[in-house]
């Protein structure tokens, strides 16, 4: 069983690249909220084809739920499976990170394998387990543009706020729980700059590296 983790900059193209690589190997795709098909009844949750706009709506709903604002949100009735503990991306009340609860939310994914984990701190959660650790990085301008497009935002400042908020939580989790930093290139097996090469090319590059490192075969 194999796991490919994708971390690094928020807005560097993790979901886009992760979905492409997952399709290449017929792996489950798991992002901030989505759960893999193999962990849910009927194996219908989080197929690769779901849009990022939908997950952005779900994320806002979960955030509102955590802050007590769910009643005013038309999307507040989020399926229970999607409310399972997240690794670090949450807008709930400020609480000290718990290594046990956070790690348990992804431990079984490593046990099952055949999964692409995007922004679930998989690079540090993997520990000694076998995983290909991919680090994606990009310029600030490209990241803002990608978040605007991905989540249907009209304002660059809104996208900047999203990136800053998520990366603050990301840095806190990496630091508090693992004593690491998500922008530490030494954590990763392969580094990709998506400002220098597009997602399609980068996906092929990662897939080739995965085939060699993990002895994978395309679907």
């Amino acid at each position: 069983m194999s796991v490919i983790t994708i971390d690094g900059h928020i807005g560097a193209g993790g979901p886009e690249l992760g979905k492409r690589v997952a399709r290449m190997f017929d792996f489950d795709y798991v992002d901030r909220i989505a759960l893999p098909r193999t962990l849910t009844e009927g194996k219908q949750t989080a197929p690769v084809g779901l849009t990022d706009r939908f997950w952005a709506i779900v994320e806002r709903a979960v955030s509102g739920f955590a802050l007590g604002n769910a009643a005013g949100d038309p999307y507040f009735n989020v399926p229970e499976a999607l409310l399972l503990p997240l690794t670090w991306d949450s807008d709930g009340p400020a609480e000290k990170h718990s290594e046990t609860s956070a790690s348990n939310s992804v431990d079984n994914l490593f046990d099952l394998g055949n999964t692409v984990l995007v922004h679930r701190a998989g690079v540090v959660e993997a520990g000694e387990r076998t995983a290909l650790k991919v680090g994606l990085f990009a310029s600030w301008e490209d990241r803002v543009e990608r978040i605007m497009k991905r989540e249907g935002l009209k304002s660059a400042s809104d996208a900047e706020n999203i990136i800053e908020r998520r990366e603050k939580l990301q840095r806190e989790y990496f630091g508090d729980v693992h004593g690491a930093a998500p922008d530490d290139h030494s954590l990763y097996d392969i580094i990709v700059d998506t400002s220098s090469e597009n997602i399609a090319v980068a996906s092929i590059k990662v897939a080739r590296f995965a085939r060699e490192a993990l002895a994978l075969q395309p679907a």
Side-chain angles (χ1 to χ4, degrees), residues 61-74:
V62 172
S63 300
F65 182 84
L67 295 172
N69 299 327
D73 192 320

Side-chain angles (χ1 to χ4, degrees), residues 128-181:
E128 298 300 318
R129 290 169 292 202
T130 301
L132 175 65
K133 301 168 183 177
V134 180
L136 294 192
F137 298 90
S139 70
W140 179 257
E141 293 76 15
D142 287 348
R143 294 159 63 198
V144 169
E145 182 179 351
R146 182 172 283 113
I147 291 294
M148 289 180 67
K149 181 178 180 180
R150 181 194 298 164
E151 304 194 7
L153 302 174
K154 301 297 183 182
S155 167
S157 63
D158 287 343
E160 290 172 348
N161 288 337
I162 284 175
I163 294 172
E164 290 170 354
R165 171 180 59 79
R166 291 179 185 166
E167 289 197 332
K168 178 177 182 292
L169 294 167
Q170 182 191 38
R171 287 192 302 271
E172 288 176 351
Y173 180 78
F174 271 66
D176 291 351
V177 177
H178 295 281

Side-chain angles (χ1 to χ4, degrees), residues 4 67 106 132 156 197 205:
I4 299 171
L67 295 172
V106 295
L132 175 65
E197 47 191 333
K205 178 179 179 179

Side-chain angles (χ1 to χ4, degrees), residues 27-162:
F27 276 20
D28 286 312
Y29 167 82
V30 184
D31 66 7
R32 295 186 309 274
I33 296 177
L35 297 176
R37 296 186 298 271
T38 51
L39 289 186
T40 56
E41 292 186 18
K43 301 186 178 182
Q44 294 300 315
T45 301
V48 169
L50 284 179
T51 65
D52 288 299
R53 183 76 61 83
F54 172 78
W55 289 115
I57 292 171
V58 173
E59 182 184 33
R60 288 194 291 272
V62 172
S63 300
F65 182 84
L67 295 172
N69 299 327
D73 192 320
Y75 299 98
F76 79 92
N77 189 23
V78 179
E80 184 177 353
L82 300 184
L83 296 178
L84 292 173
L86 305 182
T87 306
W88 53 261
D89 191 4
S90 172
D91 283 332
E95 296 179 357
K96 191 67 175 177
H97 293 297
S98 166
E99 182 173 1
T100 300
S101 62
S103 297
N104 285 344
S105 68
V106 295
D107 268 348
N108 51 356
L109 301 179
F110 284 103
D111 294 336
L112 286 170
N114 293 352
T115 300
V116 176
L117 292 175
V118 176
H119 287 311
R120 297 301 301 258
V123 63
V124 285
E125 295 288 351
E128 298 300 318
R129 290 169 292 202
T130 301
L132 175 65
K133 301 168 183 177
V134 180
L136 294 192
F137 298 90
S139 70
W140 179 257
E141 293 76 15
D142 287 348
R143 294 159 63 198
V144 169
E145 182 179 351
R146 182 172 283 113
I147 291 294
M148 289 180 67
K149 181 178 180 180
R150 181 194 298 164
E151 304 194 7
L153 302 174
K154 301 297 183 182
S155 167
S157 63
D158 287 343
E160 290 172 348
N161 288 337
I162 284 175

Side-chain angles (χ1 to χ4, degrees), residues 178-216:
H178 295 281
D183 58 355
D184 179 359
H185 286 202
S186 69
L187 292 176
Y188 304 99
D189 298 315
I190 179 173
I191 299 293
V192 178
D193 182 348
T194 56
S195 290
S196 299
E197 47 191 333
N198 65 42
I199 295 296
V201 172
S203 301
I204 295 172
K205 178 179 179 179
V206 169
R208 285 175 176 169
F209 196 94
R211 282 200 295 270
E212 295 176 3
L214 302 174
L216 299 179

